[in-house]
């Protein structure tokens, strides 16, 4: 009997897999914090004999090299990938004999990267699953524009061919198990559901229902912004990531936190946006620890900038630290645990700013107030729908463009409130008067006094 266990990394929107028999297993696209994979293997009572990568990843630091080192597993990487460490190169059609009739077959599926490889798991001659990495996803495919702009269109065409190859070679009942698509920006759009099969994708995936020219045009039109830190992920993975150190960071007192802020370092408050708005250290940035912390901190913060984490508990800081190593932010400079009054020097007080709803914004506008309304959503979101008269600066651009925000009180909004709090905290740190709109954008269209503009063509295209 075989098993397949899914290991979710929700913050980055990825899935990783452990599959095998009752004695030996293979890890597919493992996360950097490999203790999760080791724990899964221990629960199953199996030895990890192989670690395989579908591609050199652009959105997270792989744990493959470290996992292979710790377990003595054979580290398998697609033959076309250029990496600087010892590994076993696998080419199209090669088979890895796992145990007792359980095999893993490599299938070249270029598109997300030129060397991308999927792996078909077969049990006694019957295909039982396909690990598709960043190739065929649930209702979509991996984006083709992360390698080189000159290759984007050719890789998009390759994605179409790869999807069709998998659909042609595998039975409709075979489960499709992708790495990306659950929030990762490596996906050209988000997964349409939690699970799928080859047959289901034949019915719904545009890569399989459209001709190549239509598919490529559609795919290239819907590509979203690329997180800035992606520039560093591929080189780290190709060179070979260092082992992870998750020991607790050194505790910082109020004086040190003030010194780090004065030096221009980043101090990140992990608490909820509600708690942050009620009181925080002046100059701190709010990125909620239970949101997409790694994605947004790595995207916003200059690479290799020292960062100090502030959390309500040591557990909250430890969880954040774990998430950050997945994107190469290995060691926080320091950490503070407790509450805002513990993090400000004697004689100082925490600062605050108000939270509001879209209804509050409409009331302010009808009352004669002329606030600056800042939309920090991505271009693709604003293309579909926007509040008339708002200023638009995507959250990932705001640190470099704070000076572009017009004078006056700034009401910041996004789609749900999380990014609005990040934006409000950045402006608050710059000395601006801010209001964070902590509300769902879908509510804005039902409120008198707010005019919503839509682009029907772009809304339906996405």
């Amino acid at each position: 009997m075989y098993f397949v266990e899914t290991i979710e990394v929700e913050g980055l929107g990825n899935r990783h897999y452990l599959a095998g028999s009752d004695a030996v297993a293979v890890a597919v696209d493992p996360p950097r914090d490999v203790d999760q994979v080791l724990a899964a293997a221990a629960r199953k009572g199996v030895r990890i004999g192989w670690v395989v990568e579908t591609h050199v990843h652009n959105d997270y630091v792989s744990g493959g090299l470290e996992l292979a080192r710790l377990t003595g597993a054979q580290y398998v990487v697609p033959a076309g990938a250029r990496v600087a460490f010892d590994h076993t190169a696998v080419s199209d059609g090669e088979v890895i004999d796992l145990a007792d009739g359980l095999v893993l077959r490599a299938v070249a599926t270029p598109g997300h990267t030129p060397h991308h490889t999927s792996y078909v798991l077969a049990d006694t001659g019957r295909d039982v699953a396909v690990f598709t990495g960043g190739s065929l996803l649930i209702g979509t495919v991996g984006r083709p524009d992360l390698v080189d702009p000159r290759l984007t269109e050719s890789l998009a065409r390759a994605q179409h061919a790869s999807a069709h190859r998998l659909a042609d070679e595998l039975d409709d009942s075979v489960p499709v198990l992708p790495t990306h698509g659950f929030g990762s920006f490596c996906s050209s759009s988000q997964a349409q559901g939690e699970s799928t099969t080859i047959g289901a994708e034949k019915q719904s995936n545009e890569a399989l229902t459209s001709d190549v020219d239509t598919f490529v045009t559609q795919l290239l039109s819907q590509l979203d912004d690329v997180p800035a830190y992606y520039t560093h992920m591929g080189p780290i993975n190709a060179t070979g990531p260092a082992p992870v150190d998750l020991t607790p960071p050194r505790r910082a007192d109020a004086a040190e936190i003030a010194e780090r802020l004065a030096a221009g370092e980043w101090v990140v408050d992990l608490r909820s946006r509600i708690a942050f708005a009620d009181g925080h250290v002046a100059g701190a940035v709010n990125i909620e620890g239970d949101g997409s912390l790694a994605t947004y901190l790595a995207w916003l913060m200059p690479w290799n900038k020292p960062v100090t984490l502030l959390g309500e508990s040591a557990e909250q800081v430890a969880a954040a630290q774990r998430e950050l190593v997945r994107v190469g932010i290995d060691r926080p400079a320091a950490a503070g645990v407790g509450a805002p009054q513990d993090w400000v020097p004697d004689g100082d007080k925490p600062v605050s700013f108000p939270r509001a709803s879209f209804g509050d914004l409409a009331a302010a506008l009808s009352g004669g107030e002329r606030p600056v309304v800042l939309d920090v959503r991505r271009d693709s979101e604003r293309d579909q729908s926007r509040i008339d008269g708002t200023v638009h600066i995507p959250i990932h651009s705001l640190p470099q463009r704070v000076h572009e925000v017009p004078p006056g009180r700034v009401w910041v909004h996004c789609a749900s409130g999380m990014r609005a709090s990040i934006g409000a905290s950045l402006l608050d740190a710059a000395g601006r008067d801010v209001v964070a709109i902590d509300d769902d954008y879908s509510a804005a269209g039902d409120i008198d006094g707010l005019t919503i503009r839509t682009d029907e063509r772009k809304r339906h295209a996405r």
Side-chain angles (χ1 to χ4, degrees), residues 15 138 176-177 182 192-197 200-201:
R15 288 179 178 177
I138 302 179
V176 175
L177 304 175
F182 310 96
Q192 305 299 308
E194 288 297 313
S195 62
T196 192
T197 62
E201 291 309 300

Side-chain angles (χ1 to χ4, degrees), residues 330-414:
D330 282 6
R331 292 296 299 165
V337 173
Q341 55 266 30
D342 302 318
W343 304 328
V344 297
D346 291 341
D348 289 350
K349 294 182 179 180
V351 296
S352 63
F353 55 70
R355 294 165 46 250
S357 66
F358 284 107
D360 296 327
L361 173 62
L365 292 170
S366 65
E369 187 177 340
R370 288 292 175 263
V372 177
V373 183
L374 176 64
D375 180 352
V376 296
R377 297 174 303 152
R378 297 188 302 276
D379 290 342
S380 59
E381 296 171 279
R382 187 173 172 86
D383 283 348
Q384 297 176 63
S385 171
R386 63 193 183 277
I387 299 174
D388 195 29
T390 54
V391 176
H392 179 229
I393 301 177
I395 189 62
H396 58 269
S397 300
L398 188 57
Q400 295 78 38
R401 298 175 60 187
V402 167
H403 64 282
E404 297 180 23
V405 179
R409 190 175 221 201
V410 186
W411 292 56
V412 189
H413 90 81
C414 62

Side-chain angles (χ1 to χ4, degrees), residues 215-224 380 383 458 461-462:
F215 167 76
V216 170
T217 298
Q218 179 73 4
L219 178 63
L220 299 186
S221 73
Q222 67 187 20
L223 295 175
D224 217 327
S380 59
D383 283 348
K458 291 183 177 180
R462 297 177 188 275

Side-chain angles (χ1 to χ4, degrees), residues 70-147:
L70 291 172
T71 61
Q74 191 173 156
Y75 192 24
V76 179
V77 179
R82 295 183 177 182
V83 295
F85 45 82
D86 290 339
H87 65 284
T88 298
V90 66
S91 299
D92 183 43
E94 288 192 39
V95 173
I96 299 171
D97 187 359
L98 300 178
D100 301 325
L102 192 66
V103 301
L104 201 65
R105 183 173 75 254
V107 180
T109 47
H112 187 47
T113 66
H115 62 267
H116 191 284
T117 298
S118 298
Y119 299 93
V120 178
L121 184 69
D123 183 28
T124 59
R126 180 175 66 91
D127 296 337
V128 294
V130 57
F131 302 102
T132 55
S135 183
L136 185 65
L137 311 184
I138 302 179
T140 183
V141 295
R143 60 193 298 169
D145 61 327
L146 301 179
V147 177

Side-chain angles (χ1 to χ4, degrees), residues 261-352:
L261 283 166
E265 296 181 12
W266 276 53
V267 173
V268 176
D269 191 324
L270 304 168
R271 297 174 304 139
S272 75
R273 55 185 179 264
I274 298 172
F276 184 86
D278 285 345
H280 57 270
V281 177
V285 177
N286 178 223
I287 307 180
E288 293 177 321
D290 59 357
S292 298
L293 170 68
T295 295
Y296 284 104
L297 180 55
W299 198 345
L300 293 167
M301 187 178 73
W303 191 249
N304 285 333
K305 191 85 166 178
V307 59
T308 295
L309 302 177
L310 304 179
E312 292 173 326
S313 66
E315 291 75 19
Q316 187 176 47
V317 171
Q321 185 179 356
R322 175 179 290 273
E323 187 171 348
L324 293 177
V325 299
R326 296 169 181 159
V327 293
I329 301 176
D330 282 6
R331 292 296 299 165
V337 173
Q341 55 266 30
D342 302 318
W343 304 328
V344 297
D346 291 341
D348 289 350
K349 294 182 179 180
V351 296
S352 63

